[in-house]
Short mmCIF file of all heavy atoms in Angstrom, two decimals:
data_model
loop_
_atom_site.label_atom_id
_atom_site.label_comp_id
_atom_site.label_asym_id
_atom_site.label_seq_id
_atom_site.Cartn_x
_atom_site.Cartn_y
_atom_site.Cartn_z
N MET J 187 0.85 -1.20 0.00
CA MET J 187 0.00 0.00 0.00
C MET J 187 0.88 1.24 0.00
O MET J 187 2.04 1.19 0.41
CB MET J 187 -0.92 -0.03 1.21
CG MET J 187 -0.42 0.81 2.37
SD MET J 187 -1.14 0.36 3.94
CE MET J 187 -0.80 -1.37 4.01
N ALA J 188 0.36 2.33 -0.44
CA ALA J 188 1.14 3.56 -0.51
C ALA J 188 0.88 4.43 0.73
O ALA J 188 -0.26 4.64 1.12
CB ALA J 188 0.80 4.33 -1.77
N LEU J 189 1.95 4.89 1.33
CA LEU J 189 1.86 5.81 2.46
C LEU J 189 2.29 7.19 1.99
O LEU J 189 2.91 7.32 0.93
CB LEU J 189 2.76 5.33 3.59
CG LEU J 189 2.44 3.94 4.14
CD1 LEU J 189 3.55 3.47 5.07
CD2 LEU J 189 1.12 3.95 4.89
N THR J 190 1.97 8.20 2.77
CA THR J 190 2.29 9.56 2.36
C THR J 190 3.25 10.21 3.34
O THR J 190 3.06 10.14 4.56
CB THR J 190 1.00 10.40 2.27
OG1 THR J 190 0.06 9.70 1.46
CG2 THR J 190 1.26 11.75 1.66
N CYS J 191 4.27 10.85 2.81
CA CYS J 191 5.22 11.58 3.65
C CYS J 191 4.49 12.74 4.35
O CYS J 191 3.83 13.53 3.68
CB CYS J 191 6.37 12.11 2.80
SG CYS J 191 7.48 13.20 3.70
N PRO J 192 4.60 12.85 5.70
CA PRO J 192 3.90 13.92 6.42
C PRO J 192 4.45 15.31 6.13
O PRO J 192 3.79 16.31 6.38
CB PRO J 192 4.09 13.55 7.90
CG PRO J 192 5.33 12.72 7.92
CD PRO J 192 5.35 11.98 6.60
N LYS J 193 5.65 15.39 5.60
CA LYS J 193 6.26 16.70 5.35
C LYS J 193 6.00 17.24 3.95
O LYS J 193 5.73 18.41 3.76
CB LYS J 193 7.77 16.62 5.58
CG LYS J 193 8.12 16.57 7.05
CD LYS J 193 9.60 16.65 7.28
CE LYS J 193 10.10 18.09 7.27
NZ LYS J 193 11.52 18.18 7.59
N CYS J 194 6.10 16.35 2.95
CA CYS J 194 5.99 16.87 1.57
C CYS J 194 4.89 16.20 0.76
O CYS J 194 4.62 16.60 -0.36
CB CYS J 194 7.33 16.73 0.87
SG CYS J 194 7.76 15.03 0.44
N GLY J 195 4.25 15.15 1.29
CA GLY J 195 3.16 14.51 0.58
C GLY J 195 3.59 13.49 -0.46
O GLY J 195 2.76 12.93 -1.17
N HIS J 196 4.88 13.24 -0.54
CA HIS J 196 5.41 12.26 -1.47
C HIS J 196 4.91 10.86 -1.10
O HIS J 196 4.83 10.52 0.07
CB HIS J 196 6.94 12.31 -1.40
CG HIS J 196 7.63 11.41 -2.38
ND1 HIS J 196 7.66 11.65 -3.73
CD2 HIS J 196 8.34 10.26 -2.18
CE1 HIS J 196 8.35 10.69 -4.33
NE2 HIS J 196 8.77 9.83 -3.43
N GLU J 197 4.59 10.07 -2.11
CA GLU J 197 4.10 8.72 -1.84
C GLU J 197 5.25 7.75 -1.63
O GLU J 197 6.20 7.72 -2.41
CB GLU J 197 3.21 8.23 -2.99
CG GLU J 197 1.79 8.69 -2.83
CD GLU J 197 0.82 7.87 -3.67
OE1 GLU J 197 1.23 6.94 -4.36
OE2 GLU J 197 -0.38 8.20 -3.61
N ILE J 198 5.14 6.96 -0.59
CA ILE J 198 6.17 5.97 -0.26
C ILE J 198 5.49 4.61 -0.16
O ILE J 198 4.48 4.47 0.52
CB ILE J 198 6.85 6.33 1.08
CG1 ILE J 198 7.51 7.71 0.97
CG2 ILE J 198 7.86 5.26 1.49
CD1 ILE J 198 7.95 8.30 2.30
N GLU J 199 6.05 3.65 -0.86
CA GLU J 199 5.45 2.32 -0.86
C GLU J 199 5.79 1.58 0.44
O GLU J 199 6.94 1.54 0.87
CB GLU J 199 5.96 1.54 -2.07
CG GLU J 199 5.16 0.28 -2.39
CD GLU J 199 3.66 0.54 -2.64
OE1 GLU J 199 3.28 1.59 -3.20
OE2 GLU J 199 2.88 -0.33 -2.24
N SER J 200 4.77 1.03 1.08
CA SER J 200 4.97 0.29 2.33
C SER J 200 5.34 -1.16 2.03
O SER J 200 4.83 -1.76 1.09
CB SER J 200 3.68 0.32 3.14
OG SER J 200 3.70 -0.69 4.11
N ASN J 201 6.22 -1.68 2.83
CA ASN J 201 6.60 -3.09 2.68
C ASN J 201 6.00 -3.96 3.78
O ASN J 201 6.52 -5.01 4.10
CB ASN J 201 8.13 -3.22 2.71
CG ASN J 201 8.77 -2.53 1.52
OD1 ASN J 201 8.21 -2.54 0.43
ND2 ASN J 201 9.91 -1.94 1.72
N GLY J 202 4.91 -3.50 4.39
CA GLY J 202 4.30 -4.27 5.45
C GLY J 202 4.71 -3.76 6.82
O GLY J 202 5.53 -2.86 6.94
N ILE J 203 4.13 -4.36 7.85
CA ILE J 203 4.30 -3.81 9.20
C ILE J 203 5.66 -4.09 9.81
O ILE J 203 6.03 -3.48 10.79
CB ILE J 203 3.21 -4.33 10.17
CG1 ILE J 203 3.27 -5.85 10.31
CG2 ILE J 203 1.83 -3.86 9.73
CD1 ILE J 203 2.41 -6.37 11.44
N GLN J 204 6.42 -5.02 9.23
CA GLN J 204 7.70 -5.34 9.86
C GLN J 204 8.80 -4.33 9.52
O GLN J 204 9.79 -4.25 10.20
CB GLN J 204 8.13 -6.76 9.52
CG GLN J 204 7.54 -7.73 10.54
CD GLN J 204 7.47 -9.13 10.01
OE1 GLN J 204 6.94 -9.38 8.93
NE2 GLN J 204 8.00 -10.06 10.76
N LYS J 205 8.57 -3.57 8.47
CA LYS J 205 9.51 -2.49 8.19
C LYS J 205 9.02 -1.23 8.89
O LYS J 205 7.97 -0.70 8.56
CB LYS J 205 9.65 -2.26 6.68
CG LYS J 205 10.75 -1.26 6.38
CD LYS J 205 10.94 -1.00 4.91
CE LYS J 205 11.97 0.12 4.76
NZ LYS J 205 12.02 0.64 3.40
N GLN J 206 9.79 -0.76 9.87
CA GLN J 206 9.36 0.35 10.72
C GLN J 206 9.92 1.70 10.29
O GLN J 206 9.38 2.73 10.64
CB GLN J 206 9.80 0.08 12.17
CG GLN J 206 9.06 -1.07 12.82
CD GLN J 206 7.67 -0.67 13.26
OE1 GLN J 206 7.48 0.11 14.18
NE2 GLN J 206 6.66 -1.20 12.58
N HIS J 207 11.02 1.68 9.58
CA HIS J 207 11.68 2.94 9.26
C HIS J 207 11.73 3.17 7.75
O HIS J 207 12.07 2.27 7.00
CB HIS J 207 13.09 2.97 9.85
CG HIS J 207 13.07 2.83 11.35
ND1 HIS J 207 12.86 3.90 12.18
CD2 HIS J 207 13.16 1.74 12.14
CE1 HIS J 207 12.85 3.47 13.43
NE2 HIS J 207 13.02 2.16 13.44
N TYR J 208 11.38 4.39 7.38
CA TYR J 208 11.34 4.75 5.98
C TYR J 208 12.11 6.04 5.75
O TYR J 208 12.33 6.81 6.68
CB TYR J 208 9.88 4.95 5.53
CG TYR J 208 9.12 3.65 5.44
CD1 TYR J 208 8.51 3.11 6.57
CD2 TYR J 208 9.04 2.97 4.24
CE1 TYR J 208 7.83 1.91 6.50
CE2 TYR J 208 8.35 1.77 4.16
CZ TYR J 208 7.75 1.23 5.29
OH TYR J 208 7.09 0.06 5.21
N HIS J 209 12.50 6.24 4.50
CA HIS J 209 13.19 7.46 4.14
C HIS J 209 12.49 8.06 2.94
O HIS J 209 12.20 7.35 1.97
CB HIS J 209 14.66 7.15 3.82
CG HIS J 209 15.47 8.37 3.53
ND1 HIS J 209 15.95 9.19 4.53
CD2 HIS J 209 15.85 8.92 2.37
CE1 HIS J 209 16.62 10.18 3.97
NE2 HIS J 209 16.57 10.05 2.67
N CYS J 210 12.17 9.35 3.03
CA CYS J 210 11.55 10.03 1.90
C CYS J 210 12.63 10.56 0.97
O CYS J 210 13.45 11.39 1.38
CB CYS J 210 10.65 11.16 2.38
SG CYS J 210 9.87 12.04 1.01
N ASP J 211 12.63 10.09 -0.26
CA ASP J 211 13.63 10.53 -1.23
C ASP J 211 13.39 11.98 -1.67
O ASP J 211 14.31 12.68 -2.07
CB ASP J 211 13.59 9.64 -2.48
CG ASP J 211 14.01 8.22 -2.16
OD1 ASP J 211 14.86 8.06 -1.26
OD2 ASP J 211 13.50 7.29 -2.80
N ALA J 212 12.15 12.40 -1.59
CA ALA J 212 11.80 13.74 -2.09
C ALA J 212 12.29 14.85 -1.16
O ALA J 212 12.76 15.88 -1.61
CB ALA J 212 10.30 13.84 -2.29
N CYS J 213 12.16 14.66 0.17
CA CYS J 213 12.57 15.72 1.10
C CYS J 213 13.62 15.25 2.10
O CYS J 213 13.95 15.95 3.04
CB CYS J 213 11.35 16.31 1.82
SG CYS J 213 10.55 15.17 2.96
N SER J 214 14.13 14.04 1.92
CA SER J 214 15.20 13.48 2.76
C SER J 214 14.84 13.37 4.24
O SER J 214 15.70 13.49 5.10
CB SER J 214 16.49 14.30 2.62
OG SER J 214 16.94 14.20 1.29
N SER J 215 13.56 13.14 4.52
CA SER J 215 13.15 12.97 5.91
C SER J 215 13.26 11.51 6.33
O SER J 215 13.02 10.61 5.53
CB SER J 215 11.69 13.38 6.09
OG SER J 215 11.52 14.73 5.82
N ASP J 216 13.61 11.31 7.59
CA ASP J 216 13.56 9.97 8.16
C ASP J 216 12.21 9.81 8.82
O ASP J 216 11.80 10.61 9.64
CB ASP J 216 14.69 9.78 9.18
CG ASP J 216 16.02 9.62 8.47
OD1 ASP J 216 16.07 8.85 7.50
OD2 ASP J 216 16.99 10.27 8.88
N LEU J 217 11.51 8.75 8.43
CA LEU J 217 10.13 8.55 8.87
C LEU J 217 9.97 7.22 9.57
O LEU J 217 10.71 6.27 9.33
CB LEU J 217 9.19 8.61 7.67
CG LEU J 217 9.30 9.88 6.80
CD1 LEU J 217 8.57 9.69 5.50
CD2 LEU J 217 8.77 11.08 7.56
N LYS J 218 8.98 7.19 10.42
CA LYS J 218 8.71 5.99 11.19
C LYS J 218 7.27 5.58 10.94
O LYS J 218 6.39 6.44 10.86
CB LYS J 218 8.91 6.33 12.68
CG LYS J 218 8.91 5.18 13.62
CD LYS J 218 9.28 5.72 15.01
CE LYS J 218 8.93 4.74 16.09
NZ LYS J 218 7.49 4.56 16.28
N LEU J 219 7.05 4.29 10.83
CA LEU J 219 5.69 3.79 10.62
C LEU J 219 4.90 3.87 11.92
O LEU J 219 5.36 3.42 12.97
CB LEU J 219 5.74 2.35 10.12
CG LEU J 219 4.40 1.71 9.75
CD1 LEU J 219 3.74 2.42 8.58
CD2 LEU J 219 4.58 0.24 9.42
N ASP J 220 3.72 4.45 11.83
CA ASP J 220 2.85 4.58 12.99
C ASP J 220 1.60 3.76 12.71
O ASP J 220 0.95 3.93 11.69
CB ASP J 220 2.49 6.07 13.15
CG ASP J 220 1.95 6.37 14.53
OD1 ASP J 220 2.38 5.74 15.49
OD2 ASP J 220 1.10 7.27 14.63
N LEU J 221 1.29 2.85 13.61
CA LEU J 221 0.13 1.98 13.43
C LEU J 221 -0.90 2.29 14.50
O LEU J 221 -0.61 2.22 15.70
CB LEU J 221 0.55 0.51 13.53
CG LEU J 221 1.47 0.02 12.42
CD1 LEU J 221 2.21 -1.24 12.87
CD2 LEU J 221 0.69 -0.25 11.17
N LEU J 222 -2.09 2.65 14.06
CA LEU J 222 -3.14 2.98 15.01
C LEU J 222 -4.29 1.99 14.91
O LEU J 222 -4.58 1.47 13.84
CB LEU J 222 -3.67 4.40 14.74
CG LEU J 222 -2.65 5.53 14.80
CD1 LEU J 222 -3.31 6.86 14.43
CD2 LEU J 222 -2.00 5.64 16.16
N CYS J 223 -4.92 1.76 16.04
CA CYS J 223 -6.07 0.86 16.10
C CYS J 223 -7.22 1.44 15.30
O CYS J 223 -7.60 2.60 15.47
CB CYS J 223 -6.48 0.69 17.56
SG CYS J 223 -7.94 -0.31 17.78
N GLY J 224 -7.78 0.64 14.40
CA GLY J 224 -8.89 1.09 13.57
C GLY J 224 -10.17 1.29 14.36
O GLY J 224 -11.09 1.96 13.91
N GLN J 225 -10.23 0.74 15.58
CA GLN J 225 -11.43 0.87 16.39
C GLN J 225 -11.36 2.03 17.37
O GLN J 225 -12.30 2.81 17.52
CB GLN J 225 -11.68 -0.42 17.16
CG GLN J 225 -12.50 -1.42 16.37
CD GLN J 225 -12.47 -2.78 17.04
OE1 GLN J 225 -11.44 -3.44 17.11
NE2 GLN J 225 -13.59 -3.18 17.57
N CYS J 226 -10.22 2.16 18.09
CA CYS J 226 -10.15 3.20 19.13
C CYS J 226 -9.13 4.29 18.82
O CYS J 226 -9.08 5.30 19.51
CB CYS J 226 -9.85 2.57 20.49
SG CYS J 226 -8.18 1.92 20.64
N GLY J 227 -8.29 4.09 17.80
CA GLY J 227 -7.32 5.11 17.43
C GLY J 227 -6.07 5.14 18.27
O GLY J 227 -5.21 5.99 18.09
N PHE J 228 -5.94 4.22 19.21
CA PHE J 228 -4.77 4.15 20.07
C PHE J 228 -3.60 3.54 19.31
O PHE J 228 -3.81 2.74 18.40
CB PHE J 228 -5.10 3.30 21.30
CG PHE J 228 -4.27 3.62 22.51
CD1 PHE J 228 -4.52 4.75 23.26
CD2 PHE J 228 -3.24 2.77 22.91
CE1 PHE J 228 -3.75 5.05 24.37
CE2 PHE J 228 -2.47 3.06 24.03
CZ PHE J 228 -2.74 4.20 24.76
N GLN J 229 -2.38 3.94 19.68
CA GLN J 229 -1.21 3.41 18.99
C GLN J 229 -1.03 1.92 19.29
O GLN J 229 -1.06 1.49 20.43
CB GLN J 229 0.04 4.17 19.43
CG GLN J 229 1.25 3.82 18.58
CD GLN J 229 2.33 4.88 18.67
OE1 GLN J 229 2.46 5.56 19.68
NE2 GLN J 229 3.11 5.03 17.62
N LEU J 230 -0.85 1.15 18.21
CA LEU J 230 -0.70 -0.29 18.36
C LEU J 230 0.74 -0.67 18.65
O LEU J 230 1.67 -0.01 18.20
CB LEU J 230 -1.15 -1.00 17.08
CG LEU J 230 -2.63 -0.88 16.74
CD1 LEU J 230 -2.88 -1.43 15.34
CD2 LEU J 230 -3.49 -1.62 17.75
N GLU J 231 0.91 -1.73 19.39
CA GLU J 231 2.24 -2.26 19.65
C GLU J 231 2.50 -3.41 18.71
O GLU J 231 1.64 -4.25 18.48
CB GLU J 231 2.35 -2.75 21.10
CG GLU J 231 2.54 -1.60 22.06
CD GLU J 231 2.65 -2.09 23.49
OE1 GLU J 231 3.18 -3.19 23.71
OE2 GLU J 231 2.19 -1.34 24.37
N LEU J 232 3.72 -3.45 18.18
CA LEU J 232 4.11 -4.52 17.28
C LEU J 232 4.79 -5.61 18.10
O LEU J 232 5.80 -5.38 18.75
CB LEU J 232 5.06 -3.96 16.23
CG LEU J 232 5.50 -4.91 15.12
CD1 LEU J 232 4.33 -5.37 14.28
CD2 LEU J 232 6.54 -4.23 14.25
N LEU J 233 4.21 -6.78 18.08
CA LEU J 233 4.78 -7.92 18.79
C LEU J 233 5.40 -8.85 17.77
O LEU J 233 4.72 -9.30 16.85
CB LEU J 233 3.69 -8.68 19.57
CG LEU J 233 2.81 -7.87 20.51
CD1 LEU J 233 1.69 -8.76 21.04
CD2 LEU J 233 3.62 -7.31 21.67
N GLN J 234 6.68 -9.12 17.92
CA GLN J 234 7.33 -10.00 16.96
C GLN J 234 7.78 -11.26 17.68
O GLN J 234 8.53 -11.21 18.63
CB GLN J 234 8.52 -9.30 16.33
CG GLN J 234 8.10 -8.01 15.64
CD GLN J 234 8.93 -7.68 14.43
OE1 GLN J 234 9.09 -8.51 13.55
NE2 GLN J 234 9.48 -6.49 14.38
N ALA J 235 7.28 -12.38 17.20
CA ALA J 235 7.64 -13.65 17.79
C ALA J 235 7.77 -14.70 16.70
O ALA J 235 6.88 -14.84 15.86
CB ALA J 235 6.59 -14.09 18.80
N CYS J 236 8.88 -15.39 16.67
CA CYS J 236 9.11 -16.49 15.73
C CYS J 236 8.87 -16.06 14.27
O CYS J 236 8.29 -16.81 13.49
CB CYS J 236 8.26 -17.70 16.06
SG CYS J 236 8.45 -18.26 17.74
N GLY J 237 9.28 -14.86 13.92
CA GLY J 237 9.17 -14.41 12.54
C GLY J 237 7.80 -13.88 12.17
O GLY J 237 7.63 -13.31 11.11
N ALA J 238 6.82 -14.05 13.05
CA ALA J 238 5.49 -13.55 12.77
C ALA J 238 5.26 -12.26 13.54
O ALA J 238 5.70 -12.14 14.68
CB ALA J 238 4.43 -14.56 13.15
N ALA J 239 4.59 -11.33 12.94
CA ALA J 239 4.32 -10.06 13.60
C ALA J 239 2.84 -9.94 13.90
O ALA J 239 2.00 -10.24 13.05
CB ALA J 239 4.79 -8.90 12.74
N ASN J 240 2.54 -9.53 15.12
CA ASN J 240 1.16 -9.31 15.50
C ASN J 240 1.00 -7.90 16.04
O ASN J 240 1.94 -7.32 16.55
CB ASN J 240 0.74 -10.30 16.59
CG ASN J 240 0.63 -11.71 16.05
OD1 ASN J 240 -0.13 -11.97 15.14
ND2 ASN J 240 1.42 -12.60 16.61
N LEU J 241 -0.19 -7.39 15.93
CA LEU J 241 -0.47 -6.06 16.44
C LEU J 241 -1.35 -6.18 17.67
O LEU J 241 -2.34 -6.89 17.68
CB LEU J 241 -1.18 -5.23 15.37
CG LEU J 241 -0.35 -4.96 14.11
CD1 LEU J 241 -1.22 -4.37 13.02
CD2 LEU J 241 0.81 -4.04 14.42
N TRP J 242 -0.95 -5.42 18.71
CA TRP J 242 -1.66 -5.48 19.97
C TRP J 242 -2.15 -4.10 20.36
O TRP J 242 -1.37 -3.14 20.33
CB TRP J 242 -0.71 -6.03 21.04
CG TRP J 242 -1.29 -6.06 22.42
CD1 TRP J 242 -1.06 -5.15 23.41
CD2 TRP J 242 -2.21 -7.03 22.97
NE1 TRP J 242 -1.78 -5.50 24.53
CE2 TRP J 242 -2.48 -6.65 24.29
CE3 TRP J 242 -2.81 -8.18 22.44
CZ2 TRP J 242 -3.34 -7.38 25.11
CZ3 TRP J 242 -3.67 -8.91 23.27
CH2 TRP J 242 -3.92 -8.52 24.58
N CYS J 243 -3.42 -4.00 20.71
CA CYS J 243 -3.94 -2.72 21.20
C CYS J 243 -4.09 -2.83 22.71
O CYS J 243 -4.86 -3.67 23.21
CB CYS J 243 -5.29 -2.39 20.56
SG CYS J 243 -5.96 -0.83 21.18
N VAL J 244 -3.36 -1.96 23.45
CA VAL J 244 -3.43 -2.02 24.92
C VAL J 244 -4.76 -1.48 25.43
O VAL J 244 -5.20 -1.80 26.52
CB VAL J 244 -2.27 -1.25 25.59
CG1 VAL J 244 -0.95 -1.96 25.36
CG2 VAL J 244 -2.18 0.19 25.11
N LYS J 245 -5.40 -0.66 24.62
CA LYS J 245 -6.67 -0.08 25.04
C LYS J 245 -7.83 -1.05 24.86
O LYS J 245 -8.66 -1.23 25.74
CB LYS J 245 -6.92 1.22 24.27
CG LYS J 245 -7.71 2.24 25.06
CD LYS J 245 -7.70 3.57 24.36
CE LYS J 245 -8.57 4.55 25.13
NZ LYS J 245 -8.70 5.82 24.40
N CYS J 246 -7.88 -1.69 23.70
CA CYS J 246 -8.90 -2.71 23.45
C CYS J 246 -8.55 -4.02 24.15
O CYS J 246 -9.41 -4.89 24.33
CB CYS J 246 -9.06 -2.99 21.97
SG CYS J 246 -9.58 -1.59 20.97
N ASN J 247 -7.27 -4.16 24.51
CA ASN J 247 -6.77 -5.36 25.16
C ASN J 247 -6.96 -6.62 24.32
O ASN J 247 -7.38 -7.66 24.81
CB ASN J 247 -7.44 -5.53 26.54
CG ASN J 247 -6.60 -6.39 27.47
OD1 ASN J 247 -5.38 -6.39 27.41
ND2 ASN J 247 -7.26 -7.15 28.34
N GLU J 248 -6.68 -6.48 23.02
CA GLU J 248 -6.76 -7.63 22.14
C GLU J 248 -5.84 -7.46 20.93
O GLU J 248 -5.43 -6.35 20.61
CB GLU J 248 -8.20 -7.87 21.69
CG GLU J 248 -8.79 -6.70 20.91
CD GLU J 248 -10.26 -6.93 20.55
OE1 GLU J 248 -10.94 -7.69 21.22
OE2 GLU J 248 -10.69 -6.32 19.55
N LEU J 249 -5.59 -8.58 20.25
CA LEU J 249 -4.80 -8.55 19.03
C LEU J 249 -5.64 -7.96 17.90
O LEU J 249 -6.85 -8.19 17.83
CB LEU J 249 -4.35 -9.97 18.65
CG LEU J 249 -3.19 -10.56 19.44
CD1 LEU J 249 -3.01 -12.02 19.05
CD2 LEU J 249 -1.91 -9.79 19.23
N LYS J 250 -4.95 -7.23 17.02
CA LYS J 250 -5.63 -6.62 15.88
C LYS J 250 -5.07 -7.19 14.59
O LYS J 250 -3.88 -7.50 14.50
CB LYS J 250 -5.41 -5.11 15.90
CG LYS J 250 -5.98 -4.42 17.13
CD LYS J 250 -7.48 -4.47 17.12
CE LYS J 250 -8.05 -3.91 18.41
NZ LYS J 250 -9.52 -4.00 18.42
N SER J 251 -5.92 -7.30 13.59
CA SER J 251 -5.43 -7.77 12.31
C SER J 251 -4.74 -6.63 11.58
O SER J 251 -5.04 -5.46 11.79
CB SER J 251 -6.58 -8.31 11.47
OG SER J 251 -7.41 -7.26 11.06
N LYS J 252 -3.80 -7.01 10.71
CA LYS J 252 -3.05 -6.00 9.96
C LYS J 252 -3.97 -5.16 9.08
O LYS J 252 -3.72 -4.00 8.84
CB LYS J 252 -2.00 -6.70 9.08
CG LYS J 252 -0.90 -7.32 9.90
CD LYS J 252 -0.08 -8.29 9.06
CE LYS J 252 0.69 -9.23 9.97
NZ LYS J 252 1.35 -10.31 9.22
N SER J 253 -5.04 -5.77 8.59
CA SER J 253 -5.92 -5.05 7.67
C SER J 253 -6.82 -4.05 8.40
O SER J 253 -7.34 -3.13 7.78
CB SER J 253 -6.76 -6.04 6.87
OG SER J 253 -7.48 -6.88 7.76
N SER J 254 -7.00 -4.23 9.71
CA SER J 254 -7.87 -3.30 10.45
C SER J 254 -7.11 -2.09 10.97
O SER J 254 -7.70 -1.12 11.44
CB SER J 254 -8.56 -4.01 11.61
OG SER J 254 -7.65 -4.24 12.67
N ALA J 255 -5.77 -2.14 10.91
CA ALA J 255 -4.96 -1.05 11.45
C ALA J 255 -4.92 0.14 10.49
O ALA J 255 -5.08 -0.01 9.29
CB ALA J 255 -3.55 -1.53 11.72
N ILE J 256 -4.69 1.31 11.06
CA ILE J 256 -4.51 2.53 10.27
C ILE J 256 -3.01 2.80 10.17
O ILE J 256 -2.33 2.91 11.19
CB ILE J 256 -5.22 3.74 10.94
CG1 ILE J 256 -6.72 3.45 11.06
CG2 ILE J 256 -4.97 5.01 10.15
CD1 ILE J 256 -7.44 4.38 12.02
N TYR J 257 -2.53 2.88 8.94
CA TYR J 257 -1.10 3.07 8.72
C TYR J 257 -0.82 4.53 8.39
O TYR J 257 -1.50 5.12 7.57
CB TYR J 257 -0.65 2.24 7.50
CG TYR J 257 -0.74 0.75 7.69
CD1 TYR J 257 -1.96 0.13 7.82
CD2 TYR J 257 0.42 -0.03 7.69
CE1 TYR J 257 -2.04 -1.26 7.98
CE2 TYR J 257 0.34 -1.41 7.83
CZ TYR J 257 -0.88 -2.01 7.97
OH TYR J 257 -0.94 -3.36 8.12
N SER J 258 0.19 5.07 9.06
CA SER J 258 0.62 6.41 8.68
C SER J 258 2.11 6.57 8.96
O SER J 258 2.70 5.75 9.67
CB SER J 258 -0.18 7.48 9.44
OG SER J 258 0.06 7.36 10.82
N LEU J 259 2.70 7.60 8.41
CA LEU J 259 4.11 7.86 8.65
C LEU J 259 4.25 9.11 9.49
O LEU J 259 3.53 10.08 9.30
CB LEU J 259 4.85 8.04 7.32
CG LEU J 259 5.02 6.78 6.46
CD1 LEU J 259 5.59 7.14 5.11
CD2 LEU J 259 5.91 5.77 7.14
N ILE J 260 5.16 9.05 10.46
CA ILE J 260 5.43 10.23 11.29
C ILE J 260 6.91 10.55 11.21
O ILE J 260 7.72 9.68 10.89
CB ILE J 260 4.99 10.03 12.76
CG1 ILE J 260 5.61 8.75 13.35
CG2 ILE J 260 3.48 9.98 12.88
CD1 ILE J 260 5.38 8.60 14.84
N GLU J 261 7.24 11.78 11.51
CA GLU J 261 8.66 12.16 11.51
C GLU J 261 9.37 11.50 12.67
O GLU J 261 8.87 11.46 13.78
CB GLU J 261 8.78 13.68 11.64
CG GLU J 261 9.05 14.38 10.36
CD GLU J 261 9.36 15.83 10.62
OE1 GLU J 261 8.40 16.62 10.66
OE2 GLU J 261 10.53 16.14 10.78
N GLU J 262 10.59 11.05 12.38
CA GLU J 262 11.33 10.34 13.42
C GLU J 262 12.08 11.33 14.31
O GLU J 262 12.57 12.33 13.82
CB GLU J 262 12.30 9.37 12.79
CG GLU J 262 12.69 8.28 13.71
CD GLU J 262 13.26 7.09 12.96
OE1 GLU J 262 13.64 7.23 11.80
OE2 GLU J 262 13.32 6.02 13.55
ZN1 LIG O 318 8.98 13.88 2.01
ZN1 LIG O 319 -7.98 -0.35 20.14
#
């Protein structure tokens, strides 16, 4: 999926939730992937175990699917 640079609006292709750090070629910003819960908007925690990544919402107190999360980029 395509993400948008928060500084210049340049489109950056996402490689999935396991890649956390991005670089914008257009404005040379270092960016970090921000994952928010699609239900409550709280920041999700990335749990990595045995090569599999899961998303956890501390507010909902449950695992979230990758497709239900809101993806955005923030300045690092
Ligand atoms: Zn940019
Ligand atoms: Zn939640």
Side-chain angles (χ1 to χ4, degrees):
M187 99 200 54
L189 300 169
T190 308
C191 173
K193 285 186 84 176
C194 72
H196 184 71
E197 275 198 1
I198 300 167
E199 195 57 35
S200 162
N201 295 325
I203 61 169
Q204 272 158 308
K205 187 180 174 192
Q206 291 282 291
H207 300 276
Y208 288 85
H209 183 79
C210 179
D211 294 328
C213 67
S214 296
S215 297
D216 286 314
L217 306 167
K218 190 174 164 292
L219 184 64
D220 197 33
L221 294 160
L222 302 177
C223 177
Q225 273 168 293
C226 70
F228 205 76
Q229 190 160 29
L230 295 171
E231 282 180 33
L232 185 63
L233 307 173
Q234 302 212 52
C236 306
N240 290 301
L241 296 169
W242 176 259
C243 179
V244 291
K245 211 169 176 186
C246 298
N247 203 33
E248 61 184 25
L249 284 173
K250 298 292 174 182
S251 70
K252 291 166 199 172
S253 56
S254 74
I256 300 164
Y257 294 66
S258 62
L259 290 172
I260 53 172
E261 259 188 272
E262 202 161 17

